[in-house]
Amino acid sequence: MKSKFLFVFISFILLNSASFATDPLSSDGDDGYKLWLKYEPLTDASVKAEYLKYAAFIGLSGKGEIAQSAGQELQKGLKSLLGKNVSVTNSSGNKTGGIVLKLEPAAANNQQQEAYRIQLSAGNIVVSSESESGILYGTFALLRHIQMQRSVKSLSQTSSPKVRYRMLNHWDNPDGSIERGYAGSSLWKWYELPECVDPRYEDYARANASLGINGTVLNNVNASARFMSQEYILKVAAIANVMRRYGIRTYLSVYFAAPKTLGGLSTSDPLDPKVRAWWADKVAQIYKEIPDFGGFLVKANSEGEPGPQDYGRTHADGANMLAEAFKPFEGIVIWRAFVYKADPNADRFKAAYEEFVPLDGKFDPKVIVQVKNGPIDFQPREPFSPMFGNMPKTPLGMEFQITQEYLGFATHAVYEAPIFKECLDSDTYVNGEGATVAKVVDGSLHGYARTLMAGVANTGNARNWTGHPLAQANWYAFGRLSWDHQLSSEEIAREWTELTLTRNQKACAHIVGLMLRSREIYVDYNTPLGLSRPWMGVHFAPEPWQNKGSRPDWTAVYYHRADSVGLGFDRTATGSNALAQYQPPVQAQWIDPDKTPLSYLLWFHHVGWDKKLSTGRTLWEELCTRFYTGADSVRWMQQQWELAKSNLDPQVYTDVAQRLKVQHREAVWWRDSWVLYLQTFAKKPIPTAFEPPKQTLEEVKQSVKVYLIR
Ligand code: GCW
């Protein structure tokens, strides 16, 4: 009796300590920590039986640490999915009935080292690749297939990444805060590093590797020079040691004036030999500690950050100086194109193009210029940046924003894959039809050797990583698209939902439907018909009336241009002529207000309040219709969520249900602010189909004021 009790007690301790190893603060129910890597036991008996036939062993041919991670992950996954402890062996010999992870010699015709193949061969499931990273990606793909209870029969696949550098950009500060972060504080515990290595770093790496992400920039682009000190390089090295095991290279954002502020030089002029020597030494010092260091990300001469222009030099001078420092190493320099000058008469839309396009061909081959998807700044809907396609001699990387800076922070459900896809699928018409932004970014249009897709991370130390449980899908979608931009938003939503929330097909359909419509719903109540930036400061409270700022383009009225005549920014030849930055066929889509798709209308035209639109309604009526149906549609989202309830974990169900209530309240807030404010120009009644706002403009303004009090 006594010994039985002891056995039960010891098992209890072991079980709990085992789960603590990866799950340091687990609570009752699904707290979201495991993301899409839950590996919940298979419930379909016939599928389970199929895989059990291949569960005799895991044969691992790679000896490096990435291959070891693949073996471990597979073992862990199978244990939970099939309930079987499968041992890992180094040589599978002629054995059958197992899963073989096989490193293949590099084939001459295959450039894509990270590609993988999964097939049934000689009685085994074989995952093969030329690289250990490829094996790891193939292993995650196999686990995804099993998790989704797909049959062995549909297992065969080959896959290769379309873009070489697939990375997250963290806007994390050394004090633990995150710029535009809504899921708690930074994952990186700088004050505890390098001695304390949080087990969570490994789970972060697993999650990224499962999507094919192979790089991470740990710190904010508004960078601190602190990261260039030996003390911090050692801290970074401790994180890099974890990332390396999952094929992820570590990068840093750099402060351009570090030679002065940290190095004590009298200048940071990129053409000064002492400055060049300082950076060369710095890079060498980093490689001593981090042999696979990825490179630098730089925000220069943007929003007050220092840069080469402080010394009369160009972006290319600055980037090339850093590239020179990386010459002896594999690392690269990623130079951001997010710049806009303080010219009150200028159109900010045009700024990045004007500064960068003339520099085409002047950058060192080690430099990639990283461009935000749209010309302004991560708005809920923007036309694609006109830079794409217009710098054929310079690799242009894509910068998407995963964190929901302009998309309702952590209280609004907005599935972002459609935003990413909309940009990637846009045709630049450079050299004719079919020249999509995706083809610029994946290098196929201009033959770029180095290609990049970056996403500004939405992670933080919230237990579920992203604050809003559905925001995990945005991290997931970014990663999947950075690997293969041809996947559809729907496929990705389905995968994520099945892996993360429920395998029940009906419930899945409700959730996927909600996700797919969520972005348009948000746009409708937030910035319909091509409106943008109705906010300053915190980037969330609705302030379309905001007209005072230290620069004209730091006011809301600069963007929407509401007046007694109408609404919208004229970017045709009668206005700023930003449209001229696009190829003629693109201009043709947007030049005529009668033909411009409604979703882009106010981006390019100042439209009269009474103008009849293609819907048969006037501009004013259409605006009201969008604001009202948008806000009402959040109710529809609530219903869809409710319909999935019985198939959801109660903790996740409640969390999302509560956030949807906030979303509805805030959607009404947005609607009322806009409608009441625009009414002061349009001077028209709200169409009778809609109930007029319950509050006055003054009351809404007051509530925004309260929201913004520090
Ligand atoms: O969107 C703006 C943000 C800033 C950010 C900047 C940038 C990191 O409001 O917080 O700074 O863009 O991308 O550099």
Side-chain angles (χ1 to χ4, degrees), residues 171 179-180 222 299 303 336 338 372 377 405 539:
W171 286 357
E179 183 154 348
R180 315 302 177 187
N222 291 328
K299 171 175 178 178
E303 301 190 323
R336 294 177 85 231
F338 178 68
K372 289 188 182 182
D377 190 11
E405 175 178 2
H539 293 177

Side-chain angles (χ1 to χ4, degrees), residues 612-649:
K612 267 251 154 68
L613 305 181
S614 53
T615 54
R617 290 184 276 264
T618 64
L619 174 67
W620 168 250
E621 290 162 351
E622 188 63 36
L623 283 163
C624 290
T625 305
R626 302 275 174 137
F627 285 124
Y628 273 87
T629 47
D632 286 350
S633 299
V634 181
R635 289 263 187 247
W636 173 84
M637 291 168 74
Q638 290 174 322
Q639 286 160 8
Q640 298 310 299
W641 187 248
E642 212 50 42
L643 287 168
K645 178 175 180 180
S646 58
N647 291 291
L648 293 169
D649 175 273

Side-chain angles (χ1 to χ4, degrees), residues 354-392:
E354 283 172 347
E355 269 189 52
F356 276 85
V357 170
L359 296 175
D360 190 27
K362 302 221 162 71
F363 289 94
D364 184 282
K366 264 185 176 281
V367 177
I368 301 178
V369 172
Q370 181 168 300
V371 184
K372 289 188 182 182
N373 59 299
I376 303 274
D377 190 11
F378 300 137
Q379 295 303 287
R381 169 167 277 120
E382 285 196 47
F384 68 92
S385 163
M387 283 180 68
F388 290 111
N390 282 314
M391 292 187 68

Side-chain angles (χ1 to χ4, degrees), residues 192-431:
E192 299 176 7
L193 284 159
E195 291 84 358
C196 304
V197 179
D198 188 333
R200 196 164 184 171
Y201 302 158
E202 180 161 1
D203 288 326
Y204 166 88
R206 288 174 54 232
N208 281 314
S210 76
L211 306 173
I213 289 172
N214 63 3
T216 180
V217 185
L218 298 180
N219 63 319
N220 192 354
V221 289
N222 291 328
S224 163
R226 204 192 286 190
F227 286 96
M228 293 292 105
S229 67
Q230 177 66 8
E231 187 187 344
Y232 271 74
I233 291 170
L234 291 176
K235 292 172 190 279
V236 172
I239 297 178
N241 290 342
V242 179
M243 298 302 140
R244 187 175 303 117
R245 301 206 296 269
Y246 289 86
I248 298 171
R249 286 180 194 259
T250 301
Y251 297 69
L252 287 173
S253 296
V254 294
Y255 183 65
F256 196 81
K260 246 173 115 175
T261 53
L262 182 73
L265 301 188
S266 60
T267 175
S268 295
D269 180 350
L271 298 192
D272 185 301
K274 282 200 258 12
V275 173
R276 297 179 90 88
W278 188 87
W279 281 113
D281 288 350
K282 190 49 72 185
V283 170
Q285 184 187 346
I286 294 174
Y287 274 92
K288 256 199 191 142
E289 311 299 341
I290 311 169
D292 61 342
F293 184 64
F296 289 160
L297 171 65
V298 194
K299 171 175 178 178
N301 293 121
S302 164
E303 301 190 323
E305 292 299 307
Q309 292 173 349
D310 304 349
Y311 304 96
R313 317 296 183 196
T314 67
H315 288 290
D317 293 329
N320 294 348
M321 166 195 65
L322 295 176
E324 184 184 83
F326 278 97
K327 274 273 134 69
F329 309 101
E330 254 194 78
I332 56 170
V333 174
I334 305 167
W335 194 269
R336 294 177 85 231
F338 178 68
V339 295
Y340 52 99
K341 289 203 181 103
D343 175 355
N345 300 313
D347 178 358
R348 177 167 158 184
F349 189 113
K350 293 159 67 176
Y353 180 112
E354 283 172 347
E355 269 189 52
F356 276 85
V357 170
L359 296 175
D360 190 27
K362 302 221 162 71
F363 289 94
D364 184 282
K366 264 185 176 281
V367 177
I368 301 178
V369 172
Q370 181 168 300
V371 184
K372 289 188 182 182
N373 59 299
I376 303 274
D377 190 11
F378 300 137
Q379 295 303 287
R381 169 167 277 120
E382 285 196 47
F384 68 92
S385 163
M387 283 180 68
F388 290 111
N390 282 314
M391 292 187 68
K393 297 186 204 124
T394 312
L396 296 186
M398 172 64 76
E399 179 174 315
F400 285 128
Q401 192 180 45
I402 312 172
T403 189
Q404 292 177 238
E405 175 178 2
Y406 297 97
L407 293 171
F409 295 3
T411 48
H412 292 230
V414 182
Y415 174 54
E416 294 169 342
I419 306 182
F420 306 155
K421 290 285 288 183
E422 185 171 278
C423 177
L424 291 165
D425 293 344
S426 297
D427 199 335
T428 68
Y429 284 93
V430 169
N431 312 333

Side-chain angles (χ1 to χ4, degrees), residues 35-37 136-137 140 144 166-170 187-188 200-218 243 246-249 402 455 457-459 465 474-476 478-480 482-483:
L35 296 159
W36 45 87
L37 300 175
L136 181 63
Y137 301 140
F140 276 114
R144 191 157 57 225
R166 309 173 296 276
M167 62 175 71
L168 289 186
N169 289 181
H170 289 274
L187 291 168
W188 323 124
R200 196 164 184 171
Y201 302 158
E202 180 161 1
D203 288 326
Y204 166 88
R206 288 174 54 232
N208 281 314
S210 76
L211 306 173
I213 289 172
N214 63 3
T216 180
V217 185
L218 298 180
M243 298 302 140
Y246 289 86
I248 298 171
R249 286 180 194 259
I402 312 172
N458 63 350
T459 50
W465 303 84
N474 292 333
W475 178 7
Y476 186 89
F478 167 76
R480 296 286 283 134
S482 73
W483 178 274

